[in-house]
Amino acid sequence: MDCCRKMTDKYLLAMTFVYFKRARFTIAEYTRKNFFIALYLANTMEEDEEESKYEIFPWVLGKNWRKQFPRFLKQRDKLWVRIEYRAAVSRRCCEEVMAIVPSHSVWQRERSAHHSGAQRQYTDRDHIRVPRGPLASPVSCALCRCDTGLDQDLGPSSAQTPNATYPHLFASLLPLETTPPRTAASCRKAARTKSHVQPSSCCCAKEVPRAQSCGSALDTSLDWISEE
Amino acid sequence: MIVDLVRSGLSPSGSRAHWFHTLQVRPRGRRGRSNSDPLGGTGCEGDAFTWGPGLQFRAAQSYLSLEKLGEGTYASVYKGISRINGQLVALKVIHMKTEEGVPFTAIREASLLKGLKHANIVLLHDIIHTRESLTLVFEYLQTDLAQYMTQHPGGLHSRNVRIFMFQLLRGLSFIHQNRILHRDLKPQNLLISYLGELKLADFGLARSKSIPSQTFSSEVVTLWYRPPDVLLGSTDYSTALDMWGAGCVFIEMLQGAPAFPGVTDVFEQLQKIWTVLGVPCEDNWPGVSLLPNYRPEWFHQSEPKQFRAVWKRLNQLPHKTEDLVQRMLTRVPTDRISALEALKHPYFSTLPPPIMHLKDMVSIFKVPGVRLETEVRDIFNPGRRIKPSLLLPAAKCW
C-alpha cells in the first residue's frame, strides 16, 4: 500500500483518469489492468524519482512480475499511442477533474512536502530498491507511517473484472484515507508554500466508501480533458 | 530501424532521382556555409513538393533519411526529407530496448512538444512508432548556437546577440507560461535557421512543473549552465533554473567563451561562480547555509566583482546589457528575473516595437527591420573581410 502516496497521490490519479478519457476507453476497458497501465504512464511523466513506480509491477502483475513487466511496459507504450502521445496533463486539467467530485476521498490523497521536490539520491545509490510487493507494502517513512493491515488492498488480484461504473473504479482499487477534506484554495496555497502541508497521520478506512453519485456530470462533454 | 525502412521504401523514378541528387550535391557544409548569410538558405525548404499521393503521416516510408547528424544520449539524429511535402526534417530515432519500452525521456519529450507550438520551439511534425524504434520527426534547422559560435569565434555581433537573446527568452517565456522547465539549456540545444531564427530543442530532460508535489531530479542541466541553488543541493527549483542557463548563454555569445567553464565537479563549479558573484551568506541569501552542499569554509573568500571586469565585452556595450546579465545571473533563484520580465528590459528597446506583440507562431523575422547582421569573423570564409574600421576594434578587444 502506498501510504506515502508516492505513486498514487491525487494528481497522479487525476492524470490516470484523464488518460482513460483521452483513450476513449469503452466501459469494458475500465479494468484494473488499464488503471495500473495509465497510473504507470502518469508516473513516467511526472516523477523524476524513477524507482518508486516499479512498485506498481507487483501490484498489477503479482508474484511473477519480473517475467511480465516488459509486456506491461509495451502496454503502457500502446496506451501512449492511443492517447495520441499526449501524456502531458496540466495542473489545471487535474484540478478540473478533481472538481467534478471534490469531496471524493481519492482527491484527499495529498502528498507530503517531504516527498516532493528534488531528491538527493546519494543514499539510494548504494542499493537498488526492488519492489517489495505483492505481499509487502513499499517501505513507509516515519513521517507517513500508517498503522494498518490493509496491504492486500493493492495486492494482485487474479480476477480481471471490468469495473463498469467508472466513479467507483478508483474507490474499489485504492485504500482510502479519511483525511479532512481541504478546499481547492487551501490546497493551492499549501502547494505554493509546501511547508504548510502537514504530514498527515493516515488512518486508513476499513471500508471503501462509495463515491457520491456523479454519473450525470461525467457523461456530459469533457472535451477540455483533451486540451493538454 | 527507421532508416532501413525508409530506404527500402524508396523507388526512385526519374524526377525523384533528380531531386534526390539535387539534395545530395547541396553544399555539404550544413555547418560549413555561413548561417548568417540569408541567401545561403534558399534551398528546397520553401518549395512544396507533393510527392506520392498515398503517403501519409505516421508512416516510416513517408520520410527519407539523408545523412547522420549526430548521436545523442538515447537517440541518433538524421537529416531527412519528407516525401509528403518535400520539406527537410530532422529524424530523431530512438532505439527501444526490448525490456524497457519507450525511454521515459522520449515519452516526455514527445508529449510535451505535442502541446508546444511556438516560433521559438522546435516543431514536432510527426511521430513514427514501430516495433524496434520510435522516430520523432522535427523541422530541420541548419545549425545550432554552439556551431554558430564555433564558426564565428571571438564573440558574436552585439545586434545578433540581442536578436538571439530575444528569441531565447521568448521561447522560455512561452514554455514557462505553460509551466514547463527545459532543464538542459546550452548552446547545443538552441537550433538556428539560416535566417537567424533560434529555437529551443531537446526536451529530453524537460518536464512539467505544473503539479506541485511531484519528485524532481537534482541532476539536471549540464554543469556549466547549472545554477548555484541547484549546485548547492536545493530541493526546490522552478523556472529560475532555466534563466540562469540563459544568462550563461548570453555571456557566451558576447565573449565567445563559456561564462563558467572547465570544471568537473559541483564544488569546483560553485567556486567558479563565487569567484565572480562572491560567496553567499545568510545576510544576502537567507537559508543558504542550510543547503546540503554549503561549505562554511567558503567564508573570507572572494568578494563580488563587477561583471564588466570579468567579461570584458560588457565594457564596450551600453550599461543596460550588463544590467540584464546581472539580473539573470543572480545567486538567489527568487531574485532572478523571469523570462517575461527580461523581454521587457531596456536592453531590447532598440528592437522594432511590433516585435513585442507577435502571435506565438510568428517569427520575429516577419517584423520589418529585423535581420541578422553579418558576423565579423567567419572561419569558413576568412577572406570575406568587411570594413576594417569595424574589424579593428573587435580584434583589439576580443
Side-chain angles (χ1 to χ4, degrees), chain A residues 9 11 44-49 73 76-77 80-81 85 87 91 111 115-120 191 194, chain B residues 98-102 104 108 111 114 127 129 183 207-208 210-218 230 233 235:
Chain A
D9 85 327
Y11 285 106
T44 305
M45 278 304 287
E46 288 300 325
E47 302 300 334
D48 280 358
E49 194 188 304
L73 291 174
R76 174 204 59 176
D77 295 347
W80 185 51
V81 176
Y85 309 100
R91 179 181 178 182
R111 186 184 303 180
H115 289 307
S116 310
Q119 310 277 326
R120 291 270 135 187
K194 285 184 180 165
Chain B
T98 45
E99 290 225 321
E100 292 169 22
V102 180
F104 75 94
R108 287 187 184 174
S111 297
K114 268 252 159 188
I127 300 172
H129 202 163
R183 304 202 300 182
R207 59 157 297 152
S208 136
S210 164
I211 292 170
S213 52
Q214 272 36 17
T215 52
F216 283 79
S217 166
S218 50
V230 177
T235 55

Side-chain angles (χ1 to χ4, degrees), chain B residues 9-21 51-53 55 83:
Chain B
L10 174 74
S11 56
S13 70
S15 63
R16 286 178 198 176
H18 169 73
W19 175 70
F20 181 70
H21 177 74
W51 193 26
L55 295 163
R83 298 170 71 202

Side-chain angles (χ1 to χ4, degrees), chain B residues 222-228 231 244-245 247-249 251-252 257-264 268-278 307 310-311 325 328-331:
Chain B
T222 307
L223 209 52
W224 296 1
Y225 304 91
R226 198 181 294 173
L231 289 165
W244 178 274
C248 294
V249 170
I251 289 290
E252 193 163 343
F260 303 108
V263 292
T264 50
E268 279 182 68
Q269 188 67 46
L270 280 167
Q271 202 60 60
K272 203 107 188 167
I273 293 169
W274 304 154
T275 309
V276 181
L277 297 178
F307 278 19
V310 180
W311 297 301
V325 176
M328 298 175 82
L329 296 180
T330 295
R331 285 176 305 202

Side-chain angles (χ1 to χ4, degrees), chain B residues 330-345:
Chain B
T330 295
R331 285 176 305 202
V332 188
T334 47
D335 295 344
R336 234 167 270 154
I337 195 169
S338 73
L340 193 61
E341 287 164 351
L343 287 170
K344 297 172 187 158
H345 190 274

Side-chain angles (χ1 to χ4, degrees), chain A residues 91, chain B residues 174-181 207-210:
Chain A
R91 179 181 178 182
Chain B
F174 179 76
I175 66 165
H176 291 170
Q177 277 167 42
N178 282 277
R179 298 187 176 276
I180 288 164
L181 310 181
R207 59 157 297 152
S208 136
K209 173 70 187 183
S210 164

Side-chain angles (χ1 to χ4, degrees), chain B residues 16-29:
Chain B
R16 286 178 198 176
H18 169 73
W19 175 70
F20 181 70
H21 177 74
T22 313
L23 275 169
Q24 290 294 293
V25 297
R26 286 184 71 202
R28 268 193 62 83

